[in-house]
Amino acid sequence: MRSNLIMVMDDIARINIVKDTTFALLLEGQRRGYRLFYLNETDLFIERGRAGALVRPLKVRDQAGDWFEVGQAATLEFGPDDLIMMRADPPVDPDYLHATYLLDQAETAGALVVNRPRALRDFNEKLATARFPELMPPTLVSASHTRIKAFIGEQGKVVLKPLDGMGGRGIFLATRSEPNLNSMLETLTAGERRPAMVQAFLPEIDQGDKRILMVAGKPVAYLLARIPGQDDFRGNLARGGRGEGRPLSASDRAIAETVGPVLTEHGIALAGLDVIGDRLTEINVTSPTCVRELDALFGLNIAGQLFDAIDP
């Protein structure tokens, strides 16, 4: 086992510990005896060819209102003793991408980086589903308003998504007769300068947008179905959805078994598959969530499964 668990994440003072998967990973790492360190993307650096960061020693506790202590910042050069987890939230913007290049150098120095930096660049959470066309709903990715409108005409009702969002932000439900369609498309495509994803609306969303967690290429035995609230078609918990735990169905397992080997091949140790009905809609690799909820519902230790797999 490596000595240091180094967490690249957003502001720890602003997380919701009841739902935050990164917090679950920190708790488990501390329980296992890792020295915890905390940093933001902008704390990373390369100097004379070696990667390091300005890090802060960290202690955590599962106590609402008082869940962390941060020590004095110090410079740490990365090496073989380090397990680095890249858990900064999207968007995958230039700052995020630059951080992954810096973490490439940490890998070169012998650190274990989870998920692998190259995979964080290669697996756009929306576009990665195109690797599995047989599992997807009818989907278009384009910046062309003409092409998008033609696709909507064919499908009848669609979901429009930005390619770099999270938590349901910037997602629209539309038909060809939607009076605000032009405005939606102008916003999503920045005036046809940026592609967006358009997927056929899946009525099975009323049974939940299912999150299947993948640990080292294998699915966790239970999923969290995020069921939309009365006033929103989106199932995201951040948008008022309700979480319901369930065992995986046969079709859920079939999807996981198809995707799992590809995740493992690319160094993606923790991922979240989003499934509606029997269709794969997203592959979340940057900061997949729902660990805390599933642990609480079913008495699991998903973070423990991850550490057992990557750094026994």
Side-chain angles (χ1 to χ4, degrees):
M1 189 180 88
R2 294 169 193 251
S3 301
N4 304 321
L5 173 59
I6 300 166
M7 195 66 71
V8 186
M9 61 182 292
D10 300 318
D11 185 357
I12 193 170
R14 301 181 66 180
I15 65 174
N16 178 354
I17 66 170
V18 175
K19 298 182 178 182
D20 196 273
T21 291
T22 303
F23 187 66
L25 295 168
L26 287 168
L27 285 172
E28 180 64 16
Q30 181 173 268
R31 189 188 70 78
R32 290 179 176 235
Y34 290 95
R35 292 191 295 267
L36 303 187
F37 295 94
Y38 157 64
L39 66 140
N40 305 126
E41 293 174 17
T42 52
D43 294 317
L44 293 162
F45 65 82
I46 294 176
E47 186 172 0
R48 297 181 177 88
R50 297 298 300 270
L54 185 68
V55 302
R56 298 156 187 83
L58 178 67
K59 293 181 180 179
V60 291
R61 51 188 166 267
D62 200 355
Q63 182 176 321
D66 184 25
W67 62 88
F68 72 99
E69 294 177 20
V70 175
Q72 185 68 37
T75 298
L76 177 68
E77 190 173 275
F78 298 139
D81 281 342
D82 301 324
L83 167 57
I84 304 172
M85 291 189 170
M86 177 55 165
R87 292 282 306 176
D89 285 340
V92 181
D93 55 15
D95 292 337
Y96 185 100
L97 291 173
H98 294 157
T100 68
Y101 288 117
L102 295 175
L103 290 172
D104 280 339
Q105 292 299 109
E107 276 194 323
T108 299
L112 174 62
V113 184
V114 176
N115 287 319
R116 193 172 187 187
R118 179 183 293 274
L120 294 173
R121 297 192 295 271
D122 289 350
F123 272 73
N124 176 278
E125 299 190 324
K126 308 296 191 296
L127 295 175
T129 56
R131 298 169 183 262
F132 310 97
E134 73 281 7
L135 303 179
M136 299 170 63
T139 299
L140 169 72
V141 177
S142 178
S144 165
H145 293 185
T146 299
R147 189 176 295 276
I148 292 173
K149 288 178 179 179
F151 183 81
I152 297 173
E154 294 170 3
Q155 300 300 323
K157 184 186 286 189
V158 301
V159 176
L160 304 159
K161 303 178 182 181
L163 295 181
D164 60 356
M166 64 166 288
R169 289 195 296 266
I171 295 180
F172 300 98
L173 179 66
T175 64
R176 187 65 182 85
S177 60
E178 165 61 52
N180 292 314
L181 182 59
N182 286 335
S183 180
M184 291 177 180
L185 296 184
E186 289 164 7
T187 299
L188 280 171
T189 69
E192 296 190 292
R193 296 191 301 274
R194 181 175 61 218
M197 174 173 277
V198 191
Q199 290 182 326
F201 175 74
L202 298 171
E204 294 88 347
I205 184 64
D206 64 1
Q207 299 300 311
D209 183 354
K210 297 179 287 187
R211 167 59 56 83
I212 301 171
L213 286 173
M214 302 290 293
V215 176
K218 303 294 184 183
V220 173
Y222 299 90
L223 59 79
L224 194 73
R226 297 158 298 172
I227 300 170
Q230 292 184 345
D231 299 326
D232 205 320
F233 74 96
R234 298 169 295 180
N236 307 81
L237 301 181
R239 302 292 169 241
R242 171 176 60 85
E244 181 180 296
R246 300 174 189 162
L248 269 63
S249 68
S251 65
D252 297 329
R253 287 193 175 279
I255 291 171
E257 289 168 3
T258 300
V259 177
V262 178
L263 298 177
T264 300
E265 176 187 351
H266 287 83
I268 300 172
L270 180 62
L273 310 183
D274 286 351
V275 174
I276 299 174
D278 62 356
R279 297 292 91 187
L280 176 67
T281 60
E282 294 185 20
I283 301 175
N284 296 270
V285 300
T286 53
S287 55
T289 59
C290 297
V291 163
R292 291 283 273 174
E293 294 91 333
L294 289 172
D295 280 355
L297 286 168
F298 299 108
L300 305 175
N301 181 5
I302 298 169
Q305 295 177 39
L306 178 63
F307 282 109
D308 286 345
I310 63 174
D311 194 28

mmCIF file with all atom_site columns, all heavy atoms in Angstrom, residues 78-99:
data_model
loop_
_atom_site.group_PDB
_atom_site.id
_atom_site.type_symbol
_atom_site.label_atom_id
_atom_site.label_alt_id
_atom_site.label_comp_id
_atom_site.label_asym_id
_atom_site.label_entity_id
_atom_site.label_seq_id
_atom_site.pdbx_PDB_ins_code
_atom_site.Cartn_x
_atom_site.Cartn_y
_atom_site.Cartn_z
_atom_site.occupancy
_atom_site.B_iso_or_equiv
_atom_site.pdbx_formal_charge
_atom_site.auth_seq_id
_atom_site.auth_comp_id
_atom_site.auth_asym_id
_atom_site.auth_atom_id
_atom_site.pdbx_PDB_model_num
ATOM 1   N N   . PHE A 1 78 ? 5.765   14.593 -6.302  1.00 0.00 ? 78 PHE A N   1
ATOM 2   C CA  . PHE A 1 78 ? 5.092   13.315 -6.421  1.00 0.00 ? 78 PHE A CA  1
ATOM 3   C C   . PHE A 1 78 ? 6.069   12.187 -6.735  1.00 0.00 ? 78 PHE A C   1
ATOM 4   O O   . PHE A 1 78 ? 7.071   12.380 -7.445  1.00 0.00 ? 78 PHE A O   1
ATOM 5   C CB  . PHE A 1 78 ? 4.026   13.365 -7.510  1.00 0.00 ? 78 PHE A CB  1
ATOM 6   C CG  . PHE A 1 78 ? 2.921   14.352 -7.233  1.00 0.00 ? 78 PHE A CG  1
ATOM 7   C CD1 . PHE A 1 78 ? 2.406   15.143 -8.255  1.00 0.00 ? 78 PHE A CD1 1
ATOM 8   C CD2 . PHE A 1 78 ? 2.386   14.475 -5.962  1.00 0.00 ? 78 PHE A CD2 1
ATOM 9   C CE1 . PHE A 1 78 ? 1.385   16.043 -8.013  1.00 0.00 ? 78 PHE A CE1 1
ATOM 10  C CE2 . PHE A 1 78 ? 1.366   15.377 -5.705  1.00 0.00 ? 78 PHE A CE2 1
ATOM 11  C CZ  . PHE A 1 78 ? 0.858   16.174 -6.729  1.00 0.00 ? 78 PHE A CZ  1
ATOM 12  N N   . GLY A 1 79 ? 5.737   10.989 -6.219  1.00 0.00 ? 79 GLY A N   1
ATOM 13  C CA  . GLY A 1 79 ? 6.584   9.822  -6.459  1.00 0.00 ? 79 GLY A CA  1
ATOM 14  C C   . GLY A 1 79 ? 5.849   8.533  -6.153  1.00 0.00 ? 79 GLY A C   1
ATOM 15  O O   . GLY A 1 79 ? 4.618   8.516  -6.000  1.00 0.00 ? 79 GLY A O   1
ATOM 16  N N   . PRO A 1 80 ? 6.568   7.423  -6.029  1.00 0.00 ? 80 PRO A N   1
ATOM 17  C CA  . PRO A 1 80 ? 5.954   6.098  -5.890  1.00 0.00 ? 80 PRO A CA  1
ATOM 18  C C   . PRO A 1 80 ? 5.127   5.905  -4.621  1.00 0.00 ? 80 PRO A C   1
ATOM 19  O O   . PRO A 1 80 ? 4.333   4.960  -4.555  1.00 0.00 ? 80 PRO A O   1
ATOM 20  C CB  . PRO A 1 80 ? 7.158   5.148  -5.899  1.00 0.00 ? 80 PRO A CB  1
ATOM 21  C CG  . PRO A 1 80 ? 8.247   5.901  -6.593  1.00 0.00 ? 80 PRO A CG  1
ATOM 22  C CD  . PRO A 1 80 ? 8.034   7.331  -6.214  1.00 0.00 ? 80 PRO A CD  1
ATOM 23  N N   . ASP A 1 81 ? 5.306   6.738  -3.612  1.00 0.00 ? 81 ASP A N   1
ATOM 24  C CA  . ASP A 1 81 ? 4.531   6.602  -2.373  1.00 0.00 ? 81 ASP A CA  1
ATOM 25  C C   . ASP A 1 81 ? 3.136   7.209  -2.477  1.00 0.00 ? 81 ASP A C   1
ATOM 26  O O   . ASP A 1 81 ? 2.358   7.128  -1.517  1.00 0.00 ? 81 ASP A O   1
ATOM 27  C CB  . ASP A 1 81 ? 5.258   7.271  -1.204  1.00 0.00 ? 81 ASP A CB  1
ATOM 28  C CG  . ASP A 1 81 ? 6.373   6.412  -0.655  1.00 0.00 ? 81 ASP A CG  1
ATOM 29  O OD1 . ASP A 1 81 ? 6.374   5.191  -0.926  1.00 0.00 ? 81 ASP A OD1 1
ATOM 30  O OD2 . ASP A 1 81 ? 7.252   6.963  0.034   1.00 0.00 ? 81 ASP A OD2 1
ATOM 31  N N   . ASP A 1 82 ? 2.795   7.791  -3.632  1.00 0.00 ? 82 ASP A N   1
ATOM 32  C CA  . ASP A 1 82 ? 1.592   8.609  -3.722  1.00 0.00 ? 82 ASP A CA  1
ATOM 33  C C   . ASP A 1 82 ? 0.481   7.945  -4.534  1.00 0.00 ? 82 ASP A C   1
ATOM 34  O O   . ASP A 1 82 ? 0.701   7.493  -5.661  1.00 0.00 ? 82 ASP A O   1
ATOM 35  C CB  . ASP A 1 82 ? 1.929   9.957  -4.361  1.00 0.00 ? 82 ASP A CB  1
ATOM 36  C CG  . ASP A 1 82 ? 2.989   10.717 -3.573  1.00 0.00 ? 82 ASP A CG  1
ATOM 37  O OD1 . ASP A 1 82 ? 2.971   10.616 -2.334  1.00 0.00 ? 82 ASP A OD1 1
ATOM 38  O OD2 . ASP A 1 82 ? 3.823   11.389 -4.201  1.00 0.00 ? 82 ASP A OD2 1
ATOM 39  N N   . LEU A 1 83 ? -0.705  7.914  -3.941  1.00 0.00 ? 83 LEU A N   1
ATOM 40  C CA  . LEU A 1 83 ? -1.942  7.599  -4.653  1.00 0.00 ? 83 LEU A CA  1
ATOM 41  C C   . LEU A 1 83 ? -2.685  8.917  -4.813  1.00 0.00 ? 83 LEU A C   1
ATOM 42  O O   . LEU A 1 83 ? -3.087  9.536  -3.815  1.00 0.00 ? 83 LEU A O   1
ATOM 43  C CB  . LEU A 1 83 ? -2.780  6.597  -3.864  1.00 0.00 ? 83 LEU A CB  1
ATOM 44  C CG  . LEU A 1 83 ? -4.230  6.392  -4.317  1.00 0.00 ? 83 LEU A CG  1
ATOM 45  C CD1 . LEU A 1 83 ? -4.305  5.951  -5.776  1.00 0.00 ? 83 LEU A CD1 1
ATOM 46  C CD2 . LEU A 1 83 ? -4.941  5.380  -3.408  1.00 0.00 ? 83 LEU A CD2 1
ATOM 47  N N   . ILE A 1 84 ? -2.823  9.371  -6.056  1.00 0.00 ? 84 ILE A N   1
ATOM 48  C CA  . ILE A 1 84 ? -3.465  10.647 -6.349  1.00 0.00 ? 84 ILE A CA  1
ATOM 49  C C   . ILE A 1 84 ? -4.836  10.363 -6.960  1.00 0.00 ? 84 ILE A C   1
ATOM 50  O O   . ILE A 1 84 ? -4.948  9.609  -7.925  1.00 0.00 ? 84 ILE A O   1
ATOM 51  C CB  . ILE A 1 84 ? -2.628  11.480 -7.332  1.00 0.00 ? 84 ILE A CB  1
ATOM 52  C CG1 . ILE A 1 84 ? -1.213  11.678 -6.783  1.00 0.00 ? 84 ILE A CG1 1
ATOM 53  C CG2 . ILE A 1 84 ? -3.292  12.824 -7.601  1.00 0.00 ? 84 ILE A CG2 1
ATOM 54  C CD1 . ILE A 1 84 ? -0.259  12.318 -7.778  1.00 0.00 ? 84 ILE A CD1 1
ATOM 55  N N   . MET A 1 85 ? -5.871  10.955 -6.392  1.00 0.00 ? 85 MET A N   1
ATOM 56  C CA  . MET A 1 85 ? -7.214  10.833 -6.949  1.00 0.00 ? 85 MET A CA  1
ATOM 57  C C   . MET A 1 85 ? -7.638  12.174 -7.517  1.00 0.00 ? 85 MET A C   1
ATOM 58  O O   . MET A 1 85 ? -7.668  13.178 -6.799  1.00 0.00 ? 85 MET A O   1
ATOM 59  C CB  . MET A 1 85 ? -8.201  10.348 -5.897  1.00 0.00 ? 85 MET A CB  1
ATOM 60  C CG  . MET A 1 85 ? -7.962  8.911  -5.481  1.00 0.00 ? 85 MET A CG  1
ATOM 61  S SD  . MET A 1 85 ? -9.300  8.271  -4.443  1.00 0.00 ? 85 MET A SD  1
ATOM 62  C CE  . MET A 1 85 ? -8.854  6.523  -4.409  1.00 0.00 ? 85 MET A CE  1
ATOM 63  N N   . MET A 1 86 ? -7.937  12.182 -8.804  1.00 0.00 ? 86 MET A N   1
ATOM 64  C CA  . MET A 1 86 ? -8.393  13.397 -9.481  1.00 0.00 ? 86 MET A CA  1
ATOM 65  C C   . MET A 1 86 ? -9.918  13.420 -9.419  1.00 0.00 ? 86 MET A C   1
ATOM 66  O O   . MET A 1 86 ? -10.592 12.674 -10.124 1.00 0.00 ? 86 MET A O   1
ATOM 67  C CB  . MET A 1 86 ? -7.900  13.409 -10.929 1.00 0.00 ? 86 MET A CB  1
ATOM 68  C CG  . MET A 1 86 ? -8.377  14.586 -11.755 1.00 0.00 ? 86 MET A CG  1
ATOM 69  S SD  . MET A 1 86 ? -7.983  16.188 -10.999 1.00 0.00 ? 86 MET A SD  1
ATOM 70  C CE  . MET A 1 86 ? -8.258  17.281 -12.384 1.00 0.00 ? 86 MET A CE  1
ATOM 71  N N   . ARG A 1 87 ? -10.456 14.277 -8.518  1.00 0.00 ? 87 ARG A N   1
ATOM 72  C CA  . ARG A 1 87 ? -11.891 14.300 -8.274  1.00 0.00 ? 87 ARG A CA  1
ATOM 73  C C   . ARG A 1 87 ? -12.484 15.695 -8.452  1.00 0.00 ? 87 ARG A C   1
ATOM 74  O O   . ARG A 1 87 ? -13.569 15.980 -7.934  1.00 0.00 ? 87 ARG A O   1
ATOM 75  C CB  . ARG A 1 87 ? -12.163 13.813 -6.852  1.00 0.00 ? 87 ARG A CB  1
ATOM 76  C CG  . ARG A 1 87 ? -11.858 12.351 -6.612  1.00 0.00 ? 87 ARG A CG  1
ATOM 77  C CD  . ARG A 1 87 ? -12.940 11.448 -7.157  1.00 0.00 ? 87 ARG A CD  1
ATOM 78  N NE  . ARG A 1 87 ? -14.255 11.809 -6.643  1.00 0.00 ? 87 ARG A NE  1
ATOM 79  C CZ  . ARG A 1 87 ? -15.371 11.218 -7.017  1.00 0.00 ? 87 ARG A CZ  1
ATOM 80  N NH1 . ARG A 1 87 ? -15.348 10.259 -7.919  1.00 0.00 ? 87 ARG A NH1 1
ATOM 81  N NH2 . ARG A 1 87 ? -16.530 11.586 -6.509  1.00 0.00 ? 87 ARG A NH2 1
ATOM 82  N N   . ALA A 1 88 ? -11.815 16.572 -9.178  1.00 0.00 ? 88 ALA A N   1
ATOM 83  C CA  . ALA A 1 88 ? -12.382 17.891 -9.452  1.00 0.00 ? 88 ALA A CA  1
ATOM 84  C C   . ALA A 1 88 ? -13.607 17.729 -10.347 1.00 0.00 ? 88 ALA A C   1
ATOM 85  O O   . ALA A 1 88 ? -13.617 16.919 -11.275 1.00 0.00 ? 88 ALA A O   1
ATOM 86  C CB  . ALA A 1 88 ? -11.343 18.783 -10.118 1.00 0.00 ? 88 ALA A CB  1
ATOM 87  N N   . ASP A 1 89 ? -14.641 18.483 -10.068 1.00 0.00 ? 89 ASP A N   1
ATOM 88  C CA  . ASP A 1 89 ? -15.873 18.389 -10.841 1.00 0.00 ? 89 ASP A CA  1
ATOM 89  C C   . ASP A 1 89 ? -15.721 19.015 -12.220 1.00 0.00 ? 89 ASP A C   1
ATOM 90  O O   . ASP A 1 89 ? -14.894 19.926 -12.409 1.00 0.00 ? 89 ASP A O   1
ATOM 91  C CB  . ASP A 1 89 ? -17.010 19.104 -10.101 1.00 0.00 ? 89 ASP A CB  1
ATOM 92  C CG  . ASP A 1 89 ? -17.527 18.307 -8.912  1.00 0.00 ? 89 ASP A CG  1
ATOM 93  O OD1 . ASP A 1 89 ? -17.307 17.083 -8.878  1.00 0.00 ? 89 ASP A OD1 1
ATOM 94  O OD2 . ASP A 1 89 ? -18.143 18.917 -8.022  1.00 0.00 ? 89 ASP A OD2 1
ATOM 95  N N   . PRO A 1 90 ? -16.527 18.547 -13.199 1.00 0.00 ? 90 PRO A N   1
ATOM 96  C CA  . PRO A 1 90 ? -16.587 19.250 -14.481 1.00 0.00 ? 90 PRO A CA  1
ATOM 97  C C   . PRO A 1 90 ? -17.068 20.685 -14.257 1.00 0.00 ? 90 PRO A C   1
ATOM 98  O O   . PRO A 1 90 ? -17.575 21.008 -13.181 1.00 0.00 ? 90 PRO A O   1
ATOM 99  C CB  . PRO A 1 90 ? -17.619 18.424 -15.267 1.00 0.00 ? 90 PRO A CB  1
ATOM 100 C CG  . PRO A 1 90 ? -17.651 17.084 -14.598 1.00 0.00 ? 90 PRO A CG  1
ATOM 101 C CD  . PRO A 1 90 ? -17.388 17.367 -13.141 1.00 0.00 ? 90 PRO A CD  1
ATOM 102 N N   . PRO A 1 91 ? -16.934 21.556 -15.260 1.00 0.00 ? 91 PRO A N   1
ATOM 103 C CA  . PRO A 1 91 ? -16.669 21.222 -16.665 1.00 0.00 ? 91 PRO A CA  1
ATOM 104 C C   . PRO A 1 91 ? -15.207 20.867 -16.937 1.00 0.00 ? 91 PRO A C   1
ATOM 105 O O   . PRO A 1 91 ? -14.308 21.325 -16.229 1.00 0.00 ? 91 PRO A O   1
ATOM 106 C CB  . PRO A 1 91 ? -17.036 22.508 -17.409 1.00 0.00 ? 91 PRO A CB  1
ATOM 107 C CG  . PRO A 1 91 ? -16.789 23.603 -16.420 1.00 0.00 ? 91 PRO A CG  1
ATOM 108 C CD  . PRO A 1 91 ? -17.181 23.026 -15.089 1.00 0.00 ? 91 PRO A CD  1
ATOM 109 N N   . VAL A 1 92 ? -15.033 20.031 -17.952 1.00 0.00 ? 92 VAL A N   1
ATOM 110 C CA  . VAL A 1 92 ? -13.687 19.675 -18.403 1.00 0.00 ? 92 VAL A CA  1
ATOM 111 C C   . VAL A 1 92 ? -13.233 20.799 -19.339 1.00 0.00 ? 92 VAL A C   1
ATOM 112 O O   . VAL A 1 92 ? -13.282 20.705 -20.563 1.00 0.00 ? 92 VAL A O   1
ATOM 113 C CB  . VAL A 1 92 ? -13.686 18.297 -19.094 1.00 0.00 ? 92 VAL A CB  1
ATOM 114 C CG1 . VAL A 1 92 ? -12.274 17.939 -19.544 1.00 0.00 ? 92 VAL A CG1 1
ATOM 115 C CG2 . VAL A 1 92 ? -14.209 17.232 -18.127 1.00 0.00 ? 92 VAL A CG2 1
ATOM 116 N N   . ASP A 1 93 ? -12.803 21.880 -18.724 1.00 0.00 ? 93 ASP A N   1
ATOM 117 C CA  . ASP A 1 93 ? -12.402 23.082 -19.431 1.00 0.00 ? 93 ASP A CA  1
ATOM 118 C C   . ASP A 1 93 ? -10.878 23.103 -19.575 1.00 0.00 ? 93 ASP A C   1
ATOM 119 O O   . ASP A 1 93 ? -10.198 22.152 -19.161 1.00 0.00 ? 93 ASP A O   1
ATOM 120 C CB  . ASP A 1 93 ? -12.921 24.321 -18.693 1.00 0.00 ? 93 ASP A CB  1
ATOM 121 C CG  . ASP A 1 93 ? -12.481 24.364 -17.235 1.00 0.00 ? 93 ASP A CG  1
ATOM 122 O OD1 . ASP A 1 93 ? -11.557 23.613 -16.860 1.00 0.00 ? 93 ASP A OD1 1
ATOM 123 O OD2 . ASP A 1 93 ? -13.052 25.163 -16.472 1.00 0.00 ? 93 ASP A OD2 1
ATOM 124 N N   . PRO A 1 94 ? -10.303 24.140 -20.171 1.00 0.00 ? 94 PRO A N   1
ATOM 125 C CA  . PRO A 1 94 ? -8.841  24.159 -20.320 1.00 0.00 ? 94 PRO A CA  1
ATOM 126 C C   . PRO A 1 94 ? -8.090  23.997 -19.008 1.00 0.00 ? 94 PRO A C   1
ATOM 127 O O   . PRO A 1 94 ? -7.051  23.326 -18.962 1.00 0.00 ? 94 PRO A O   1
ATOM 128 C CB  . PRO A 1 94 ? -8.593  25.529 -20.958 1.00 0.00 ? 94 PRO A CB  1
ATOM 129 C CG  . PRO A 1 94 ? -9.815  25.785 -21.771 1.00 0.00 ? 94 PRO A CG  1
ATOM 130 C CD  . PRO A 1 94 ? -10.938 25.240 -20.940 1.00 0.00 ? 94 PRO A CD  1
ATOM 131 N N   . ASP A 1 95 ? -8.580  24.577 -17.904 1.00 0.00 ? 95 ASP A N   1
ATOM 132 C CA  . ASP A 1 95 ? -7.889  24.431 -16.624 1.00 0.00 ? 95 ASP A CA  1
ATOM 133 C C   . ASP A 1 95 ? -7.870  22.972 -16.177 1.00 0.00 ? 95 ASP A C   1
ATOM 134 O O   . ASP A 1 95 ? -6.843  22.476 -15.674 1.00 0.00 ? 95 ASP A O   1
ATOM 135 C CB  . ASP A 1 95 ? -8.573  25.281 -15.553 1.00 0.00 ? 95 ASP A CB  1
ATOM 136 C CG  . ASP A 1 95 ? -8.418  26.774 -15.810 1.00 0.00 ? 95 ASP A CG  1
ATOM 137 O OD1 . ASP A 1 95 ? -7.462  27.148 -16.518 1.00 0.00 ? 95 ASP A OD1 1
ATOM 138 O OD2 . ASP A 1 95 ? -9.248  27.554 -15.316 1.00 0.00 ? 95 ASP A OD2 1
ATOM 139 N N   . TYR A 1 96 ? -8.983  22.281 -16.362 1.00 0.00 ? 96 TYR A N   1
ATOM 140 C CA  . TYR A 1 96 ? -9.053  20.861 -15.994 1.00 0.00 ? 96 TYR A CA  1
ATOM 141 C C   . TYR A 1 96 ? -8.088  20.053 -16.857 1.00 0.00 ? 96 TYR A C   1
ATOM 142 O O   . TYR A 1 96 ? -7.337  19.206 -16.359 1.00 0.00 ? 96 TYR A O   1
ATOM 143 C CB  . TYR A 1 96 ? -10.489 20.361 -16.176 1.00 0.00 ? 96 TYR A CB  1
ATOM 144 C CG  . TYR A 1 96 ? -10.713 18.939 -15.704 1.00 0.00 ? 96 TYR A CG  1
ATOM 145 C CD1 . TYR A 1 96 ? -11.286 18.684 -14.468 1.00 0.00 ? 96 TYR A CD1 1
ATOM 146 C CD2 . TYR A 1 96 ? -10.354 17.850 -16.496 1.00 0.00 ? 96 TYR A CD2 1
ATOM 147 C CE1 . TYR A 1 96 ? -11.491 17.384 -14.030 1.00 0.00 ? 96 TYR A CE1 1
ATOM 148 C CE2 . TYR A 1 96 ? -10.545 16.547 -16.064 1.00 0.00 ? 96 TYR A CE2 1
ATOM 149 C CZ  . TYR A 1 96 ? -11.120 16.323 -14.836 1.00 0.00 ? 96 TYR A CZ  1
ATOM 150 O OH  . TYR A 1 96 ? -11.315 15.034 -14.411 1.00 0.00 ? 96 TYR A OH  1
ATOM 151 N N   . LEU A 1 97 ? -8.102  20.306 -18.168 1.00 0.00 ? 97 LEU A N   1
ATOM 152 C CA  . LEU A 1 97 ? -7.225  19.561 -19.068 1.00 0.00 ? 97 LEU A CA  1
ATOM 153 C C   . LEU A 1 97 ? -5.761  19.813 -18.740 1.00 0.00 ? 97 LEU A C   1
ATOM 154 O O   . LEU A 1 97 ? -4.945  18.880 -18.754 1.00 0.00 ? 97 LEU A O   1
ATOM 155 C CB  . LEU A 1 97 ? -7.514  19.945 -20.517 1.00 0.00 ? 97 LEU A CB  1
ATOM 156 C CG  . LEU A 1 97 ? -8.871  19.488 -21.051 1.00 0.00 ? 97 LEU A CG  1
ATOM 157 C CD1 . LEU A 1 97 ? -9.114  20.063 -22.441 1.00 0.00 ? 97 LEU A CD1 1
ATOM 158 C CD2 . LEU A 1 97 ? -8.963  17.967 -21.092 1.00 0.00 ? 97 LEU A CD2 1
ATOM 159 N N   . HIS A 1 98 ? -5.411  21.049 -18.423 1.00 0.00 ? 98 HIS A N   1
ATOM 160 C CA  . HIS A 1 98 ? -4.022  21.341 -18.056 1.00 0.00 ? 98 HIS A CA  1
ATOM 161 C C   . HIS A 1 98 ? -3.625  20.543 -16.811 1.00 0.00 ? 98 HIS A C   1
ATOM 162 O O   . HIS A 1 98 ? -2.494  20.042 -16.715 1.00 0.00 ? 98 HIS A O   1
ATOM 163 C CB  . HIS A 1 98 ? -3.851  22.833 -17.797 1.00 0.00 ? 98 HIS A CB  1
ATOM 164 C CG  . HIS A 1 98 ? -4.040  23.667 -19.026 1.00 0.00 ? 98 HIS A CG  1
ATOM 165 N ND1 . HIS A 1 98 ? -4.383  25.001 -18.984 1.00 0.00 ? 98 HIS A ND1 1
ATOM 166 C CD2 . HIS A 1 98 ? -3.943  23.354 -20.340 1.00 0.00 ? 98 HIS A CD2 1
ATOM 167 C CE1 . HIS A 1 98 ? -4.491  25.470 -20.205 1.00 0.00 ? 98 HIS A CE1 1
ATOM 168 N NE2 . HIS A 1 98 ? -4.227  24.497 -21.051 1.00 0.00 ? 98 HIS A NE2 1
ATOM 169 N N   . ALA A 1 99 ? -4.553  20.403 -15.864 1.00 0.00 ? 99 ALA A N   1
ATOM 170 C CA  . ALA A 1 99 ? -4.259  19.617 -14.658 1.00 0.00 ? 99 ALA A CA  1
ATOM 171 C C   . ALA A 1 99 ? -3.970  18.165 -15.004 1.00 0.00 ? 99 ALA A C   1
ATOM 172 O O   . ALA A 1 99 ? -3.078  17.539 -14.414 1.00 0.00 ? 99 ALA A O   1
ATOM 173 C CB  . ALA A 1 99 ? -5.423  19.715 -13.678 1.00 0.00 ? 99 ALA A CB  1
#
